[in-house]
Amino acid sequence: MCSVWSAGRLASMRTYSELPGLMTVMTGDEKHGPSATSTLDVLWVLYDQVLRVSPDQLDDPGRDRFLLSKGHGPAAYYAVLAAKGFIPESWLAGFGSAGSRLGYHPDRNLVPGVEIGSGSLGHGLPLGVGLAHGLLARGLVMPRVFVLVGDAELDEGSNSEAIVYAGAVGLANLVVIAVDNQSSSYGWGAGGIEAHFAVSGWSVTRVSGRDHVALSSSLSASGSGPRLVVASVEGES
């Protein structure tokens, strides 16, 4: 991050209403527009109101960690990172091009603020469980780990193992946000996604994925074990 950009970061901070414009700058066949827009409000609320992380503390051991498991649609994520000063807006126009830092899947080695390389579905939640466990083992009890998954991604068996384990050991520093746009292959039956987590000892809640007040309240809450927030959005057409 160059000093000129850092000096001008606060002066150019964007608002939520400007995010669609930032996303429009990114083009290409692999943009995965619906996948990205389904996460836009959750991502904004996290970075605007919930996460204890900033461009100036990317290596702070006490920072919160955010893992975008749903990494195959990162356009909204990149827009929010640009809006909050983690990356220069000038990077957006090169999205997915040869030599661009902003690939079709986020790369932690190329994009400031990205904690994991993601996009291969089913990996983010297990990684989040390990990260949350590791923080506690190091005596870091304040940082929380937030993992954003899609409802269809939960079809992957690796998530089921992570859900059971996190509930059994009571990882109170772990929060999963499941964006539900009704795209899972088989659906969830009675009790929805929440029942899948609750039976393993998670506290669960469902809110509108477009309601910033409800998202902020549910994502900021704490408890004695891992938490699931299901963010309902419009279904895929």
Side-chain angles (χ1 to χ4, degrees):
M1 292 181 285
C2 68
S3 58
V4 173
W5 169 57
S6 297
R9 176 173 54 82
L10 293 177
S12 62
M13 202 72 75
R14 297 287 192 167
T15 64
Y16 171 77
S17 64
E18 295 174 291
L19 293 180
L22 293 178
M23 290 182 67
T24 301
V25 174
M26 291 173 276
T27 60
D29 294 337
E30 298 298 324
K31 188 174 178 179
H32 289 292
S35 179
T37 55
S38 70
T39 67
L40 186 61
D41 295 85
V42 171
L43 288 167
W44 176 258
V45 170
L46 279 168
Y47 278 90
D48 189 57
Q49 303 179 38
V50 178
L51 292 174
R52 298 183 307 110
V53 66
S54 74
D56 301 318
Q57 56 178 175
L58 296 179
D59 297 318
D60 185 346
R63 73 189 185 280
D64 287 338
R65 274 70 166 179
F66 170 71
L67 311 185
L68 180 68
S69 186
K70 191 177 178 178
H72 61 289
Y77 187 32
Y78 293 152
V80 170
L81 289 177
K84 289 300 181 180
F86 288 83
I87 62 174
E89 290 182 19
S90 59
W91 289 8
L92 299 178
F95 170 71
S97 63
S100 173
R101 289 174 176 258
L102 306 184
Y104 296 138
H105 294 177
D107 187 327
R108 68 181 298 272
N109 294 311
L110 297 177
V111 186
V114 172
E115 298 281 359
I116 60 169
S118 62
S120 182
L121 299 182
H123 293 186
L125 180 48
L127 285 169
V129 169
L131 180 54
H133 220 327
L135 289 170
L136 295 177
R138 293 166 59 194
L140 297 170
V141 297
M142 288 297 294
R144 293 202 289 172
V145 178
F146 295 81
V147 184
L148 193 157
V149 303
D151 63 311
E153 180 183 359
L154 292 174
D155 288 342
E156 300 286 347
S158 53
N159 287 312
S160 294
E161 296 179 17
I163 292 165
V164 171
Y165 179 79
V169 299
L171 292 178
N173 59 340
L174 178 64
V175 181
V176 169
I177 310 102
V179 173
D180 184 6
N181 62 356
Q182 304 88 54
S183 61
S184 62
S185 298
Y186 306 109
W188 294 99
I193 296 172
E194 299 94 309
H196 190 56
F197 283 74
V199 72
S200 293
W202 292 59
S203 62
V204 300
T205 188
R206 178 180 287 263
V207 299
S208 166
R210 304 304 185 192
D211 185 334
H212 291 195
V213 174
L215 284 169
S216 179
S217 177
S218 59
L219 292 170
S220 300
S222 60
S224 58
R227 302 188 62 252
L228 167 74
V229 176
V230 180
S232 301
V233 297
E234 59 279 1
E236 289 189 334
S237 57

